[in-house]
Amino acid sequence: MIQKVTHRQMVLIIMLLSLTGTLLQPHAQAIFYAEQHAYLSYVPVVLIMFASMYMLSRVQRRFPDKDLFESMVDRFPFLGRVAGFMYIAFFFFVFARDIRLTGDYVSITLLETTPISIIAFSLLVMAVFIVRGGLGSLIGMVELYVALFLVNSFIVPFMLIQQVNLDNLKPYFDIDLAGVGKGSWYIFSFYGEMIALPFVVRGKDFRVKSVLSGTIVTALMLMLIVIETIVSIGVPIASRLVYPSYELARQLQISDFLDRFDLALAAATLPCTITKIAFDLYLVCWGLKRMIPKVSGKVLTGPIALLGFVGGFWFFRNAVQLNRFTLEWTWIAIVFEVLFPIVLFLFLRPRKKEKQHAPNSGSGELASRGKPEEEEQKQEQASNESGHSEGNSEEKSCEKSADKSKDNKGKTSHGSGNLQPS
């Protein structure tokens, strides 16, 4: 049974899916092309993703008690499974990429002497235990750690007052539209991962209001982080960093004796990233269970996690290759985050209800019941005519009419027994 998801939980899950990956990697690439107006790169991304999520919400309204996996399989058994397996492969690649991305991030910024394989495997073990708890444990962690991240995000701007230089945003109105478009291209694939939500949420819980609130709040948070990065670090430096968000955290200084506030931010950011990895793993296992009903999702958790661990090191040799792959990955993400929602919105509709066939079946039963009654009436008329022709006296006619009435009663009771619905 699919767990019920509230409006607040929907907003927080959208923030988790879109914020964690975007915060780590593509901001530097967006700043490199859009420069001081990199925050404007989120405007076209938000519009496109809200349109895609709105179309999926309309599809989900047609199937209120089912998630998107189940809706596709029930409506189109073959093509629905093909589309479902394609989405499973897409999110499996996202799962493997997130493992490698988070492992590189922790290895470069926090644990420089620890092998990346040990870091990634530790993250994987935590994700497996979270997934085995089901969707309820995932939602509980989302409500805890995303809320903690929001609190830190509102505190950070007040700590950056000494490092803020508004001259880094000049010229304010000289906007390079081509650069902004390129920045949107790099951000889109990470921000659009909110497309995973309708695959685990049933239609009656997938509301447009929640989608609109989640997309807008997430975009505003990321735009604020980009502006903070530009005004505190500057465009020339921020555009050449691998993890500009980490460098932004290093700029925070509460006093002279506490200059590693980035550890406190990492304590709030890393649990969100681990929860995002667990959500990717849960989605893959849940999709396989929907495509193959006899398969147990809990049994698949361990093998799928190990396969994703191996795939993360097989797909990407180092962090530089992972960073450069964002350019090509957007082409693939557009298919699943834009084109498929349009196709599902146009063609994924429920079958005609069986109630439309009920009047036809009822008329057929009435017709079948009417035929024996007509035959009985004909037999009665024939028997009456034969009785009047043969009988001359009143006594004989009375006796024959009595016998005929008895026979008719026997015939009607026998016919009504045969016409009872099976």
Side-chain angles (χ1 to χ4, degrees), residues 233-253:
I233 301 175
V235 173
I237 299 176
S239 61
R240 287 167 174 81
L241 295 174
V242 180
Y243 304 112
S245 59
Y246 172 72
E247 190 63 30
L248 175 65
R250 291 186 62 185
Q251 299 296 318
L252 302 177
Q253 292 182 357

Side-chain angles (χ1 to χ4, degrees), residues 100-146:
R100 184 58 189 270
L101 178 62
T102 309
D104 285 331
Y105 174 75
V106 175
S107 177
I108 293 173
T109 58
L110 299 176
L111 304 176
E112 298 178 358
T113 59
T114 306
I116 184 175
S117 58
I118 302 299
I119 297 173
F121 187 78
S122 301
L123 298 174
L124 194 69
V125 171
M126 289 184 282
V128 169
F129 279 103
I130 295 172
V131 172
R132 285 184 176 273
L135 187 60
S137 62
L138 273 173
I139 293 177
M141 294 191 67
V142 168
E143 290 182 314
L144 176 62
Y145 292 115
V146 176

